Amino acid sequence: MVTNSRFWPLRAVMPVLVLLPTLLLLYTGYTLPRQLHQLQRELQSQLKFQEISADIYHLTTSVQEYIFYGDLQALNNFRQYSAQMVNKELELYNLVEQSKKQDVAQLMALSKAYNSFVEREVIPGRQLEANENRELLLWQYRDLSRQLVDRADALRDAGLQENNALLEYTVALLNKEGLFMLLLSLFSLGAVIWEVVAARQWLAHYFCLRSLAKDSPDAIMFVDRKERLQYVNRSAANLFHVPKEAVAGKSLGEILTMYPHLQSIVQPLYDALLQNEKITDYQLSYGREEGKLLLTVDCTPIYLFKKPAGAVLVARKTPEPKNSNILLDTIERERKRLSIEIHDWIGRYMSSIIHGLDYVLRVNGGRLPAEVQENLLMLRTQCQNAAIDMRGIMNDIHPYLIEKVGLIPALESYSTNFERIHNKKVYIFYRQRSLQLDREKEILVYRIIQEALTNVAKHSPATEVDIHFSETKDTLQIEIVDNGGGQETAPVPGKGLWGMKERARLIGGDLVYGFVDGGFCVTLTLPKAGGGKADGQDRHHAGGRP
C-alpha cells in the first residue's frame, strides 16, 4: 500500500501518543501509592493528636478533682492517663515526619514536667493550709496545665490543617492525572483506529494473497532467510509429491536429503537467496517417476523493513504450444519455397554459365590465347564451386533429401559436405536405416544434429564426431559426441543450445548436454511414431571408422 504523504506527521507521532498514556500510568502507579501512604501516616498522626488531647483533658480534670475534693479515685485516674499519654506520645514521635519530631519532643518534655510537678508538688501540697504557699502552688499548676493543653491543641490544629491540604492536593492530583490520561487514551485510541482503517488495504491484500496462494493452481513455496521452508501450498505439495507436514520448517538441505528429486526445484531458491535477484521465466526439467515435466519458475526475494526476509518460488507447468505443428509446417514450407527459388533461378543461371563455358572451351579452346583459356578455366572452376556451395546452402535451408530418401541418408550427405568444409570426420552409427518418425520430427531432428555439428565446428578442437542412433520400443535416443576434450566447468548455454532444446520440446522430446570423458556430448531422447525392428547389425556410412 502506498503511504499518503499528507499523513506522515501523524504516523511519526502516533507511537508517542500510544506511549504517553503508558508512561503516565506508570508514573501515577509509582507516585500515587507514596502519596496515599503519606496521607495515611498523617491521618494516623492526627488520630494520635486527638487521643493525646483527650488524655490531657482527662489528666488535668482528674488532678483538679483530686485537688478540690481529695478524691483518691481521681488520683488513680491521673496516674492511669499519665501512663497512657506517655506511651501515645512515644508512638506519635515514631510516627511523625522528621520535621515534626521536635514539636512532639517538646510536648513530651512538657507532659513529663507536668506529671513530675503533680507528683512532687501538687499531691503533697494538698495537705497544706490555705496560705500563700498553697495559692502559689495552685497558680503554678494552672499555668503548667494551660501550657500543656495549649501545646497539644496547637499541634493538633496544625496537623489537621496539613492533613486537609495534603488530602486536597492528592485529590487534585488524581483528578488532573485521570483527566489527562483519559484525554490521551481517547486520542491514542482514535489514532489507533485511524491507523487500522488506513491499514485495511494491507489487511485486504494479506488475506486475499493468502487465499490466492492457498487455492492457486501454481506451486508456491516460501523460504525464510535461514533457508527454512515456511509455506507450501496444496498445488506445490501435489506437483512435487511432498507432504506439507513433512517439509514445513525444515531446511533446504534436509529437504534435498529426504527428496533428492527436488534438486532442480531448490536450486533457483538458493540463487534468489544468495544473489538477492529476481528470477523470472526460468525453465527447468523436473523429473518424476512417470517422466519429465517442463516447468517455468519465478523466484522473488522478499524484504521486510528493507532487510532480506526470504524468497518465494512460483512454479507452473510450461504449456505446450497450441499451434506448434502449424508453426513448424509454416517455417519449413517457407524454407522449402526459398530452396526451390534458389534452385530454379540461381541454380538455372549457374548451370547455364557452366555449360556455356564448357562449350567455349570445347569449340574455341585451341584458338584462344593461353592466358584467356586459363582465365576461362578458373572461372569455370569458381562457378562449379559456387554451385556446390549453393546446393549446401539449399540443403541448410531445407533438407530436401529427407523427403526423397529419409533422415539417415540426408545426414550422410550433409556429413560428407561437413567433412570437406571443416576437415572433421563424422561417423554415424545405427541399426536400421529407416526410422519410424513423422516427417516433422525428422526435420527437427535433422536441425538439432545440424546445429550440434555447427557448434563442434565453431567451438571445439575436435577432429571426430560420433552420431549414435539407439532405439527401444517406444523411444529413439541420439547422441552426438566429439573428441574435443572435457572441461570441469559446465557449458554456458547460448542461442544454439537454447534453439536445440526448443526444437526438442516441440516434438515432445528432451535434450541434455555436458562434458563427458574425452569430449562434449548432446543427447536427444524422443518418442517414436511406432515400434521398430532391429536387424541386429550396426551399420555406418562408407567413410566410417574401421
Side-chain angles (χ1 to χ4, degrees):
M1 185 177 73
V2 179
T3 304
N4 195 327
S5 59
R6 294 179 298 173
F7 300 119
W8 73 264
L10 182 57
R11 291 182 179 273
V13 302
M14 196 180 70
V16 179
L17 297 177
V18 175
L19 188 60
L20 273 178
T22 304
L23 295 177
L24 184 59
L25 184 61
L26 293 175
Y27 173 76
T28 304
Y30 173 74
T31 57
L32 185 59
R34 298 183 62 185
Q35 197 77 17
L36 293 177
H37 179 67
Q38 183 180 0
L39 181 60
Q40 183 182 10
R41 290 187 61 181
E42 292 295 333
L43 291 176
Q44 291 177 352
S45 300
Q46 185 64 29
L47 182 60
K48 287 295 179 184
F49 277 125
Q50 297 286 351
E51 293 177 355
I52 291 173
S53 296
D55 288 343
I56 290 175
Y57 171 78
H58 292 301
L59 181 71
T60 56
T61 302
S62 298
V63 173
Q64 289 178 2
E65 289 180 354
Y66 174 75
I67 292 174
F68 291 109
Y69 303 108
D71 187 356
L72 295 179
Q73 182 61 38
L75 183 60
N76 293 332
N77 292 339
F78 158 72
R79 288 172 177 164
Q80 178 183 354
Y81 289 125
S82 176
Q84 292 180 2
M85 188 175 65
V86 170
N87 292 333
K88 292 179 180 180
E89 287 176 342
L90 183 61
E91 293 176 1
L92 180 63
Y93 182 83
N94 294 327
L95 187 63
V96 296
E97 297 178 354
Q98 189 66 32
S99 59
K100 297 180 180 179
K101 288 186 181 295
Q102 183 64 28
D103 296 335
V104 177
Q106 292 177 1
L107 177 63
M108 293 174 66
L110 190 59
S111 299
K112 184 177 180 181
Y114 176 83
N115 293 333
S116 178
F117 179 78
V118 171
E119 290 288 348
R120 292 197 318 267
E121 302 292 340
V122 174
I123 295 176
R126 187 183 182 282
Q127 311 299 330
L128 298 177
E129 295 295 334
N131 53 27
E132 294 181 0
N133 291 334
R134 190 170 185 274
E135 290 296 328
L136 178 60
L137 182 64
L138 291 176
W139 181 85
Q140 291 177 346
Y141 166 75
R142 292 191 186 96
D143 183 64
L144 192 59
S145 297
R146 181 181 55 77
Q147 292 182 25
L148 182 61
V149 172
D150 291 345
R151 187 63 181 173
D153 291 343
L155 291 177
R156 183 193 61 192
D157 295 340
L160 183 59
Q161 292 179 0
E162 291 183 1
N163 288 343
N164 291 336
L166 181 61
L167 182 60
E168 291 177 359
Y169 173 77
T170 303
V171 172
L173 180 64
L174 287 175
N175 290 335
K176 290 180 180 179
E177 292 183 352
L179 180 61
F180 188 55
M181 186 182 301
L182 178 62
L183 292 176
L184 278 178
S185 300
L186 291 176
F187 195 70
S188 300
L189 180 61
V192 171
I193 294 175
W194 179 87
E195 183 65 21
V196 170
V197 172
R200 65 186 183 277
Q201 189 173 354
W202 287 349
L203 296 175
H205 285 176
Y206 172 77
F207 288 111
C208 287
L209 289 176
R210 185 178 180 87
S211 178
L212 288 173
K214 179 181 178 182
D215 301 328
S216 174
D218 295 338
I220 300 177
M221 303 168 66
F222 173 71
V223 179
D224 63 19
R225 60 185 181 89
K226 295 182 179 180
E227 299 180 359
R228 293 192 174 275
L229 188 63
Q230 299 296 340
Y231 178 77
V232 180
N233 72 343
R234 187 186 306 110
S235 298
N238 295 334
L239 178 62
F240 302 136
H241 294 277
V242 291
K244 293 191 291 185
E245 298 78 10
V247 296
K250 288 186 168 49
S251 66
L252 295 181
E254 294 173 334
I255 293 173
L256 286 179
T257 302
M258 298 167 57
Y259 305 100
H261 65 278
L262 294 179
Q263 174 67 43
S264 59
I265 304 298
V266 169
Q267 188 60 45
L269 281 172
Y270 274 123
D271 296 339
L273 288 173
L274 294 177
Q275 301 175 8
N276 288 327
E277 294 182 358
K278 186 177 181 180
I279 302 173
T280 57
D281 295 334
Y282 177 78
Q283 292 190 350
L284 55 86
S285 180
Y286 166 63
R288 299 188 301 187
E289 294 180 357
E290 59 269 22
K292 291 192 174 182
L293 191 65
L294 191 64
L295 300 179
T296 301
V297 173
D298 297 333
C299 275
T300 305
I302 302 299
Y303 295 89
L304 183 62
F305 302 115
K306 298 183 179 180
K307 293 183 178 180
V312 62
L313 178 143
V314 179
R316 56 192 177 276
K317 296 180 181 179
T318 303
E320 292 292 335
K322 295 181 179 180
N323 299 320
S324 59
N325 293 332
I326 298 176
L327 177 62
L328 176 62
D329 291 341
T330 303
I331 294 175
E332 290 302 327
R333 189 161 49 247
E334 183 63 19
R335 286 173 175 266
K336 185 176 181 180
R337 184 188 67 80
L338 291 175
S339 177
I340 293 174
E341 291 288 335
I342 293 174
H343 178 271
D344 290 346
W345 293 98
I346 301 178
R348 183 184 306 168
Y349 289 136
M350 291 296 298
S351 179
S352 298
I353 293 172
I354 293 173
H355 289 309
L357 290 173
D358 288 340
Y359 176 79
V360 171
L361 290 172
R362 185 176 66 253
V363 174
N364 302 315
R367 292 178 295 181
L368 295 174
E371 184 179 355
V372 175
Q373 188 176 3
E374 183 180 352
N375 289 335
L376 289 176
L377 287 173
M378 184 182 299
L379 180 59
R380 199 265 181 201
T381 301
Q382 291 176 350
C383 289
Q384 184 67 36
N385 292 335
I388 295 173
D389 291 340
M390 182 189 66
R391 283 194 293 271
I393 294 173
M394 291 168 53
N395 190 55
D396 289 342
I397 294 176
H398 179 72
Y400 60 93
L401 285 178
I402 291 181
E403 298 180 355
K404 296 181 178 180
V405 295
L407 175 61
I408 298 295
L411 285 176
E412 290 175 340
S413 176
Y414 178 80
S415 63
T416 301
N417 191 49
F418 180 86
E419 289 176 346
R420 180 181 61 83
I421 296 174
H422 301 289
N423 195 27
K424 298 177 187 288
K425 281 293 185 179
V426 179
Y427 300 94
I428 303 176
F429 300 89
Y430 50 86
R431 286 185 175 272
Q432 59 179 11
R433 194 171 179 82
S434 176
L435 303 175
Q436 295 187 3
L437 291 176
D438 298 335
R439 181 56 49 84
E440 292 81 3
K441 289 185 178 181
E442 284 189 336
I443 293 176
L444 285 182
V445 169
Y446 181 89
R447 297 294 185 197
I448 292 172
I449 297 175
Q450 185 182 38
E451 182 63 34
L453 292 175
T454 302
N455 287 340
V456 172
K458 290 181 178 179
H459 308 295
S460 175
T463 59
E464 296 180 0
V465 182
D466 293 342
I467 304 175
H468 293 268
F469 286 82
S470 57
E471 298 181 72
T472 64
K473 181 179 179 181
D474 300 319
T475 61
L476 170 66
Q477 186 177 79
I478 305 169
E479 286 186 352
I480 306 102
V481 57
D482 60 49
N483 65 345
Q487 296 183 13
E488 295 182 359
T489 58
V492 179
K495 293 183 178 179
L497 290 174
W498 177 82
M500 293 161 65
K501 290 182 70 70
E502 282 296 307
R503 289 187 176 97
R505 185 176 63 83
L506 285 174
I507 55 177
D510 180 57
L511 185 136
V512 295
Y513 49 83
F515 289 101
V516 296
D517 294 339
F520 188 77
C521 180
V522 176
T523 303
L524 171 65
T525 305
L526 69 155
K528 297 193 301 185
K533 296 180 181 181
D535 58 12
Q537 298 292 328
D538 290 341
R539 294 199 296 266
H540 52 80
H541 74 297
R545 65 173 62 141

Short mmCIF file of all heavy atoms in Angstrom, two decimals, residues 202-218 220 231 233-235:
data_model
loop_
_atom_site.label_atom_id
_atom_site.label_comp_id
_atom_site.label_asym_id
_atom_site.label_seq_id
_atom_site.Cartn_x
_atom_site.Cartn_y
_atom_site.Cartn_z
N TRP A 202 -3.83 -3.02 3.44
CA TRP A 202 -2.81 -4.03 3.74
C TRP A 202 -3.46 -5.33 4.18
O TRP A 202 -3.09 -6.42 3.74
CB TRP A 202 -1.87 -3.53 4.82
CG TRP A 202 -0.91 -2.47 4.36
CD1 TRP A 202 -0.67 -2.09 3.08
CD2 TRP A 202 -0.08 -1.66 5.19
NE1 TRP A 202 0.27 -1.08 3.05
CE2 TRP A 202 0.65 -0.80 4.32
CE3 TRP A 202 0.12 -1.57 6.56
CZ2 TRP A 202 1.57 0.13 4.80
CZ3 TRP A 202 1.04 -0.65 7.04
CH2 TRP A 202 1.75 0.19 6.17
N LEU A 203 -4.43 -5.19 5.09
CA LEU A 203 -5.09 -6.39 5.60
C LEU A 203 -5.82 -7.11 4.47
O LEU A 203 -5.78 -8.35 4.38
CB LEU A 203 -6.06 -6.02 6.72
CG LEU A 203 -5.43 -5.40 7.98
CD1 LEU A 203 -6.51 -4.97 8.96
CD2 LEU A 203 -4.49 -6.39 8.64
N ALA A 204 -6.50 -6.33 3.62
CA ALA A 204 -7.21 -6.95 2.49
C ALA A 204 -6.23 -7.67 1.57
O ALA A 204 -6.48 -8.79 1.12
CB ALA A 204 -7.99 -5.88 1.73
N HIS A 205 -5.09 -7.00 1.29
CA HIS A 205 -4.07 -7.65 0.44
C HIS A 205 -3.56 -8.93 1.07
O HIS A 205 -3.40 -9.94 0.39
CB HIS A 205 -2.91 -6.68 0.20
CG HIS A 205 -3.24 -5.59 -0.76
ND1 HIS A 205 -2.37 -4.57 -1.07
CD2 HIS A 205 -4.36 -5.36 -1.49
CE1 HIS A 205 -2.93 -3.77 -1.96
NE2 HIS A 205 -4.14 -4.22 -2.22
N TYR A 206 -3.32 -8.87 2.38
CA TYR A 206 -2.76 -10.05 3.06
C TYR A 206 -3.71 -11.23 2.98
O TYR A 206 -3.32 -12.34 2.57
CB TYR A 206 -2.48 -9.70 4.52
CG TYR A 206 -2.08 -10.89 5.36
CD1 TYR A 206 -0.81 -11.43 5.27
CD2 TYR A 206 -3.00 -11.49 6.22
CE1 TYR A 206 -0.44 -12.53 6.03
CE2 TYR A 206 -2.65 -12.59 6.97
CZ TYR A 206 -1.37 -13.10 6.88
OH TYR A 206 -1.03 -14.19 7.63
N PHE A 207 -4.97 -11.01 3.32
CA PHE A 207 -5.92 -12.12 3.32
C PHE A 207 -6.22 -12.59 1.90
O PHE A 207 -6.40 -13.79 1.66
CB PHE A 207 -7.20 -11.72 4.04
CG PHE A 207 -7.04 -11.61 5.53
CD1 PHE A 207 -7.11 -10.38 6.17
CD2 PHE A 207 -6.79 -12.73 6.31
CE1 PHE A 207 -6.96 -10.26 7.53
CE2 PHE A 207 -6.64 -12.64 7.67
CZ PHE A 207 -6.72 -11.40 8.29
N CYS A 208 -6.27 -11.64 0.95
CA CYS A 208 -6.51 -12.04 -0.44
C CYS A 208 -5.34 -12.86 -0.98
O CYS A 208 -5.54 -13.90 -1.62
CB CYS A 208 -6.73 -10.81 -1.31
SG CYS A 208 -8.34 -10.00 -1.04
N LEU A 209 -4.12 -12.39 -0.71
CA LEU A 209 -2.94 -13.13 -1.18
C LEU A 209 -2.85 -14.49 -0.52
O LEU A 209 -2.47 -15.48 -1.16
CB LEU A 209 -1.67 -12.32 -0.90
CG LEU A 209 -1.48 -11.07 -1.77
CD1 LEU A 209 -0.24 -10.30 -1.33
CD2 LEU A 209 -1.36 -11.45 -3.23
N ARG A 210 -3.19 -14.56 0.76
CA ARG A 210 -3.16 -15.85 1.44
C ARG A 210 -4.17 -16.81 0.83
O ARG A 210 -3.88 -17.99 0.61
CB ARG A 210 -3.45 -15.64 2.93
CG ARG A 210 -3.32 -16.90 3.77
CD ARG A 210 -3.58 -16.60 5.23
NE ARG A 210 -3.45 -17.79 6.03
CZ ARG A 210 -2.33 -18.22 6.56
NH1 ARG A 210 -1.21 -17.54 6.34
NH2 ARG A 210 -2.28 -19.31 7.30
N SER A 211 -5.37 -16.29 0.54
CA SER A 211 -6.39 -17.14 -0.08
C SER A 211 -5.99 -17.55 -1.49
O SER A 211 -6.16 -18.69 -1.89
CB SER A 211 -7.73 -16.38 -0.10
OG SER A 211 -8.72 -17.14 -0.74
N LEU A 212 -5.41 -16.59 -2.25
CA LEU A 212 -4.98 -16.90 -3.61
C LEU A 212 -3.86 -17.93 -3.62
O LEU A 212 -3.84 -18.84 -4.44
CB LEU A 212 -4.53 -15.63 -4.33
CG LEU A 212 -5.64 -14.64 -4.72
CD1 LEU A 212 -5.03 -13.37 -5.28
CD2 LEU A 212 -6.58 -15.26 -5.74
N ALA A 213 -2.90 -17.76 -2.69
CA ALA A 213 -1.78 -18.72 -2.63
C ALA A 213 -2.28 -20.11 -2.24
O ALA A 213 -1.80 -21.12 -2.77
CB ALA A 213 -0.74 -18.23 -1.62
N LYS A 214 -3.27 -20.16 -1.36
CA LYS A 214 -3.78 -21.46 -0.92
C LYS A 214 -4.49 -22.19 -2.06
O LYS A 214 -4.31 -23.40 -2.24
CB LYS A 214 -4.74 -21.26 0.25
CG LYS A 214 -5.35 -22.55 0.77
CD LYS A 214 -6.30 -22.25 1.92
CE LYS A 214 -6.95 -23.54 2.42
NZ LYS A 214 -7.91 -23.27 3.51
N ASP A 215 -5.29 -21.45 -2.84
CA ASP A 215 -6.09 -22.07 -3.89
C ASP A 215 -5.48 -21.92 -5.28
O ASP A 215 -6.10 -22.29 -6.27
CB ASP A 215 -7.50 -21.45 -3.90
CG ASP A 215 -8.21 -21.64 -2.57
OD1 ASP A 215 -7.96 -22.66 -1.92
OD2 ASP A 215 -8.99 -20.76 -2.18
N SER A 216 -4.26 -21.38 -5.38
CA SER A 216 -3.65 -21.15 -6.68
C SER A 216 -3.30 -22.47 -7.37
O SER A 216 -2.81 -23.40 -6.72
CB SER A 216 -2.39 -20.30 -6.53
OG SER A 216 -1.70 -20.20 -7.76
N PRO A 217 -3.52 -22.57 -8.68
CA PRO A 217 -3.07 -23.78 -9.39
C PRO A 217 -1.56 -23.85 -9.55
O PRO A 217 -1.01 -24.91 -9.84
CB PRO A 217 -3.76 -23.64 -10.76
CG PRO A 217 -3.98 -22.18 -10.93
CD PRO A 217 -4.23 -21.64 -9.56
N ASP A 218 -0.87 -22.70 -9.36
CA ASP A 218 0.59 -22.70 -9.41
C ASP A 218 1.17 -23.20 -8.09
O ASP A 218 0.58 -23.00 -7.02
CB ASP A 218 1.12 -21.28 -9.69
CG ASP A 218 0.70 -20.78 -11.05
OD1 ASP A 218 0.39 -21.62 -11.91
OD2 ASP A 218 0.67 -19.56 -11.25
N ILE A 220 3.48 -22.88 -5.05
CA ILE A 220 4.05 -21.74 -4.33
C ILE A 220 4.76 -22.25 -3.09
O ILE A 220 4.19 -23.01 -2.29
CB ILE A 220 2.97 -20.71 -3.96
CG1 ILE A 220 2.27 -20.19 -5.22
CG2 ILE A 220 3.57 -19.57 -3.16
CD1 ILE A 220 1.14 -19.23 -4.94
N TYR A 231 6.35 -22.23 4.03
CA TYR A 231 4.99 -22.35 3.47
C TYR A 231 5.03 -23.14 2.18
O TYR A 231 5.91 -22.94 1.33
CB TYR A 231 4.39 -20.96 3.21
CG TYR A 231 3.00 -21.03 2.60
CD1 TYR A 231 1.89 -21.33 3.38
CD2 TYR A 231 2.80 -20.82 1.23
CE1 TYR A 231 0.62 -21.42 2.83
CE2 TYR A 231 1.55 -20.91 0.68
CZ TYR A 231 0.46 -21.20 1.48
OH TYR A 231 -0.78 -21.29 0.93
N ASN A 233 1.97 -24.49 -0.59
CA ASN A 233 0.54 -24.59 -0.86
C ASN A 233 0.18 -25.98 -1.39
O ASN A 233 1.03 -26.82 -1.64
CB ASN A 233 0.08 -23.47 -1.80
CG ASN A 233 0.57 -23.68 -3.22
OD1 ASN A 233 1.49 -24.46 -3.47
ND2 ASN A 233 -0.04 -22.99 -4.16
N ARG A 234 -1.12 -26.19 -1.56
CA ARG A 234 -1.61 -27.51 -1.95
C ARG A 234 -1.08 -27.93 -3.32
O ARG A 234 -0.70 -29.08 -3.54
CB ARG A 234 -3.14 -27.49 -1.96
CG ARG A 234 -3.77 -28.87 -2.17
CD ARG A 234 -5.27 -28.80 -2.33
NE ARG A 234 -5.90 -28.11 -1.22
CZ ARG A 234 -6.46 -26.91 -1.32
NH1 ARG A 234 -6.48 -26.26 -2.48
NH2 ARG A 234 -7.03 -26.34 -0.29
N SER A 235 -1.01 -26.98 -4.27
CA SER A 235 -0.54 -27.32 -5.62
C SER A 235 0.92 -27.75 -5.60
O SER A 235 1.31 -28.68 -6.32
CB SER A 235 -0.71 -26.11 -6.54
OG SER A 235 -2.08 -25.75 -6.65
#
